[in-house]
Amino acid sequence: AVEHGELRLYLQPKVALQAGVGAAAEALLRWQHPQRGLVPPMEFIPFAEQTGFVRQLTLWVFEQVAVLLAQSGARDIALRVSVNLSTRDLLDPDLSLRLGAILERYAVRAESICLEITESAIMDDPQRAEAMLNRLAQQGFRLSIDDFGTGYSSLAYLRRLPVQELKIDKSFVMGMQTAEGDALIVRSTIDLAHNLGLSVVAEGVESADILEHLRSLQCDEAQGYHISRPLPLDDYLAWQARQV
Ligand code: C2E
Ligand code: MG
Ligand code: MG
């Protein structure tokens, strides 16, 4: 896929629920397969993760995002983009150097990029993960814990890690209008994050009702099909242009 140029960068908007913060999006990988069509990441990332090839995929995504940020910066558009990292990335001792080299090549600031890491990726080898997260934070990257609530991260760890953001897993967000337990988890997670000084993003926002509910709970940002599906780059830029 890499050699044949079959990877595609998709972007899904993240919107601010409280006043302030500008445009943001999450980079999501797709594979445009000649016979199978558009293959979602869950059908190839787990395998790339097993073989270690996911590192090349991450660098490909990161470079595309750097190009986008360099172009947006040239047009004076303040954009923040989130990039997903996997366990293998986090355990690569050269990760921060590799990312730093790409930033330098395109003259992009680390502050424009948020790196999303799942709880399970951190808990695979918490000490090494913590050391790498500290280096990435020092470099200026914003760090986020993805799919929060589905893993086994201890609160003691969470307090120590240099993260600025929690993303509440979509399973809780999607259930919050129908299952009281999910609504309680969402509300408690928002409070927990705020008490720890972290910003909160809800993913999987599929309806206007849920969006308003999240706003009333003081959630900071939202992402989901109700706002927009992940879009190819040009469609994303068109979507973004319509927002202002
Ligand atoms: P994730 O990082 O938690 O990304 C959010 C997933 O939720 C995306 O699935 C997105 O399309 C989906 N989503 C967003 N809004 C909604 C909604 O309202 N309802 C529902 N049902 N789903 C929604 P996607 O793009 O299929 O990606 C799945 C996972 O694959 C990602 O979960 C991430 O863990 C992984 N992934 C995607 N791109 C990359 C990448 O470049 N590198 C790595 N390491 N992992 C990636
Ligand atoms: Mg993510
Ligand atoms: Mg997620």
Side-chain angles (χ1 to χ4, degrees):
V2 176
E3 281 170 11
H4 297 144
E6 293 169 4
L7 297 179
R8 298 286 179 270
L9 178 74
Y10 273 57
L11 291 159
Q12 186 178 33
K14 275 166 76 183
V15 296
L17 294 179
Q18 321 298 332
V21 285
E26 177 174 12
L28 293 161
L29 190 58
R30 301 286 182 266
W31 176 8
Q32 184 67 59
H33 190 280
Q35 279 86 43
R36 294 168 63 194
L38 203 59
V39 184
M42 288 332 264
E43 286 176 29
F44 60 92
I45 285 183
F47 302 101
E49 177 75 25
Q50 277 170 30
T51 60
F53 195 78
V54 73
R55 290 181 187 177
Q56 266 102 308
L57 297 183
T58 300
L59 293 176
W60 185 88
V61 171
F62 192 86
E63 182 160 1
Q64 303 300 308
V65 167
V67 171
L68 166 65
L69 288 171
Q71 289 167 350
S72 312
R75 281 181 283 141
D76 247 354
I77 303 167
L79 184 62
R80 290 178 299 130
V81 182
S82 298
V83 174
N84 292 284
L85 294 185
S86 71
T87 311
R88 291 277 197 145
D89 295 313
L90 213 53
L91 299 183
D92 171 8
D94 293 328
L95 176 67
S96 74
L97 291 176
R98 291 186 216 277
L99 299 185
I102 296 175
L103 291 179
E104 204 169 315
R105 191 173 325 142
Y106 296 97
V108 169
R109 300 170 60 228
E111 285 76 6
S112 313
I113 299 180
C114 175
L115 300 173
E116 296 190 359
I117 307 114
T118 62
E119 290 173 80
S120 53
I122 295 169
M123 297 318 281
D124 260 8
D125 188 341
Q127 285 177 347
R128 273 170 75 187
E130 186 180 351
M132 182 50 76
L133 291 179
N134 283 325
R135 281 171 64 185
L136 294 168
Q138 269 164 23
Q139 248 176 304
F141 288 110
R142 195 178 156 85
L143 301 176
S144 172
I145 309 262
D146 204 352
D147 302 344
F148 186 76
T150 60
Y152 298 92
S153 59
S154 78
L155 294 176
Y157 245 96
L158 190 61
R159 189 167 45 101
R160 264 176 46 188
L161 293 175
V163 300
Q164 285 89 12
E165 179 185 287
L166 282 193
K167 282 187 95 165
I168 308 177
D169 190 67
K170 57 177 174 288
S171 59
F172 305 117
V173 176
M174 287 164 67
M176 68 188 278
Q177 297 296 82
T178 44
E180 203 186 332
D182 286 344
L184 279 171
I185 289 174
V186 171
R187 197 175 76 202
S188 311
T189 306
I190 293 171
D191 290 344
L192 170 74
H194 285 162
N195 290 334
L196 288 167
L198 307 176
S199 157
V200 195
V201 183
E203 60 174 28
V205 178
E206 293 191 353
S207 72
D209 285 353
I210 290 182
L211 190 72
E212 285 321 309
H213 192 173
L214 288 163
R215 200 192 304 277
S216 72
L217 294 175
Q218 307 295 318
C219 185
D220 301 285
E221 288 180 275
Q223 175 181 349
Y225 295 168
H226 173 67
I227 298 144
S228 167
R229 292 201 171 243
L231 301 168
L233 179 59
D234 290 343
D235 294 353
Y236 169 75
L237 293 173
W239 184 93
Q240 199 58 68
R242 285 200 300 274
Q243 303 308 302
V244 281

